[in-house]
Amino acid sequence: QVQLVESGGGLVQVGGSLRLSCAASGRTLRRYGMGWFRRAPGKEREFVARITSSGGSTTYADFVKGRFTISRDNAKNTVYLQMNSLKAEDTAVYYCAADPDINYSYRYWGQGTQVTVSS
């Protein structure tokens, strides 16, 4: 089993930055691909970014390209999401996930961290 705990969320103004962290316990993350998702109020959960187990490849949703960066530190068993140039529409609960299958359905999920961007 893998337990994932997100942190780093909070209230920030439009144009500001936040860095989310996803710390794992139970097993090392180095063998897993990882992803970040978000769910805005009244909306479906949506994909934000993902990174391979080695960190050598990343993929982003179009709406965050150039603003968000996913990274990982396998020695610290942690994955990050650096969010810059935040917009009001980025307001959501952000979730990290681990161990995707071939269809990018993730096996393990964190509880989420709230990000609120005020205008």
Side-chain angles (χ1 to χ4, degrees):
Q1 285 289 336
V2 175
Q3 292 79 44
L4 303 174
V5 179
E6 302 94 337
S7 62
L11 176 64
V12 64
Q13 290 188 329
V14 169
S17 298
L18 283 174
R19 188 176 81 155
L20 305 184
S21 298
C22 174
S25 61
R27 285 186 182 178
T28 179
L29 280 184
R30 67 175 68 248
R31 61 187 294 182
Y32 298 127
M34 300 291 296
W36 284 97
F37 292 77
R38 70 186 188 186
R39 187 193 302 270
K43 294 187 177 182
E44 300 277 322
R45 186 176 64 198
E46 61 184 354
F47 164 77
V48 175
R50 63 174 174 257
I51 188 167
T52 55
S53 57
S54 67
S57 179
T58 57
T59 305
Y60 296 92
D62 286 345
F63 54 79
V64 302
K65 282 182 180 177
R67 299 190 298 125
F68 291 11
T69 303
I70 187 171
S71 62
R72 65 190 301 157
D73 185 337
N74 286 338
K76 294 183 178 180
N77 233 23
T78 302
V79 175
Y80 305 98
L81 186 68
Q82 177 67 44
M83 306 187 295
N84 299 328
S85 302
L86 283 161
K87 305 175 181 180
E89 51 263 43
D90 293 319
T91 295
V93 178
Y94 284 72
Y95 302 88
C96 71
D99 195 16
D101 64 16
I102 194 170
N103 296 313
Y104 295 106
S105 178
Y106 287 76
R107 182 176 182 183
Y108 303 108
W109 291 85
Q111 293 299 306
T113 185
Q114 176 70 47
V115 171
T116 303
V117 185
S118 65
S119 55

